[in-house]
């Protein structure tokens, strides 16, 4: 049963568990205490059974969405610059793009791995289609018509993808510029 987060949650008290009976979704209720909302959100995201998180508070929801978008930016930049670097390594006229593209790919992959991968929010994506809300019973929701919906996604493939591309672009750079150091 959903409970409203109280001020005791932020002050180190018991963390409320606003999760449904089956545990597959959680609702972060709008509360005057923003810190209590953040504690509830963090708690929900760390529970592996929670697949959908609904955030009532627009401020917290927008902050969570921005954070997820930043993580997506680092991933996409690492992938696109990694592909550019690998293609530049294969195509002789584009070889000048190898070093900048490779450096950007490696820096974004490292930033993603060090600063973002350990955050429980990295396991979630913003649900813009509304598919995540379909499995949530209507009686569990408030009368609000707007929620920020976060859906758990497996990010293992994306991490492997940008790390592999960063490694490939490093190997391509080492191969093409090996004569400078040998």
């Amino acid at each position: 049963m959903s409970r409203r987060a109280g001020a005791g949650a932020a002050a180190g008290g018991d963390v409320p568990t606003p999760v449904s009976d089956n545990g597959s979704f959680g609702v972060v209720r709008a509360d005057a205490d923003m810190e209590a909302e953040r504690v509830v959100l963090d708690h929900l995201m760390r529970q592996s059974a929670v697949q959908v998180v609904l955030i009532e508070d627009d401020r917290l929801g927008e902050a969570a969405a921005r954070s997820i978008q930043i993580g997506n930016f680092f991933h996409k930049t690492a992938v696109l610059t990694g592909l550019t670097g690998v293609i530049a390594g294969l195509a002789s006229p584009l070889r000048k793009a190898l070093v900048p593209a490779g450096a950007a790919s490696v820096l974004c992959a490292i930033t993603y791995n060090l600063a973002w991968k350990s955050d429980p929010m990295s396991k979630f994506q913003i649900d813009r289609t509304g598919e995540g809300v379909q499995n949530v019973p209507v009686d569990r929701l408030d009368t609000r018509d707007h929620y920020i919906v976060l859906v758990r996604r497996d990010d293992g493939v994306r991490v492997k993808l940008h790390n592999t591309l960063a490694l490939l672009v490093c190997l391509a750079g080492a191969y093409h510029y090996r004569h400078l150091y040998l």
Side-chain angles (χ1 to χ4, degrees), residues 12-175:
D14 291 335
V15 176
T17 55
V19 181
S20 72
D21 297 332
N22 65 4
S24 65
F25 73 92
V27 179
V28 180
R29 301 277 180 211
D31 196 340
D33 186 5
M34 182 84 158
E35 188 59 31
E37 291 176 3
R38 289 179 194 265
V39 170
V40 171
L41 178 61
D42 187 64
H43 179 72
L44 286 173
M45 289 186 164
R46 291 184 189 279
Q47 293 179 357
S48 61
V50 175
Q51 298 299 313
V52 177
V53 175
L54 300 161
I55 304 173
E56 286 183 352
D57 185 15
D58 291 333
R59 294 174 301 153
L60 181 63
E62 292 300 322
R66 275 193 307 274
S67 181
I68 290 171
Q69 289 169 342
I70 290 170
N72 290 344
F73 168 78
F74 281 118
H75 164 71
K76 289 175 184 176
T77 303
V79 169
L80 292 175
T81 55
L83 282 173
T84 302
V86 169
I87 292 170
L90 296 174
S92 190
L94 300 174
R95 198 157 292 149
K96 290 181 180 179
L98 176 62
V99 173
S105 178
V106 169
L107 285 174
C108 286
I110 288 172
T111 302
Y112 185 94
N113 288 329
L114 293 179
W116 179 245
K117 192 172 115 178
S118 62
D119 190 336
M121 202 172 289
S122 69
K123 305 289 185 210
F124 287 85
Q125 290 295 316
I126 305 162
D127 181 20
R128 299 190 192 284
T129 62
E131 293 176 16
V133 184
Q134 291 177 352
N135 297 329
V136 178
V138 178
D139 63 334
R140 300 289 182 162
L141 302 177
D142 265 352
T143 57
R144 296 174 53 101
D145 58 347
H146 176 72
Y147 290 90
I148 303 293
V149 181
L150 306 179
V151 179
R152 184 178 297 275
R153 300 273 190 246
D154 180 24
D155 68 335
V157 173
R158 33 185 307 161
V159 171
K160 288 176 188 169
L161 175 64
H162 71 243
N163 287 342
T164 301
L165 286 170
L167 178 64
L168 284 175
V169 79
C170 282
L171 292 174
Y175 176 76

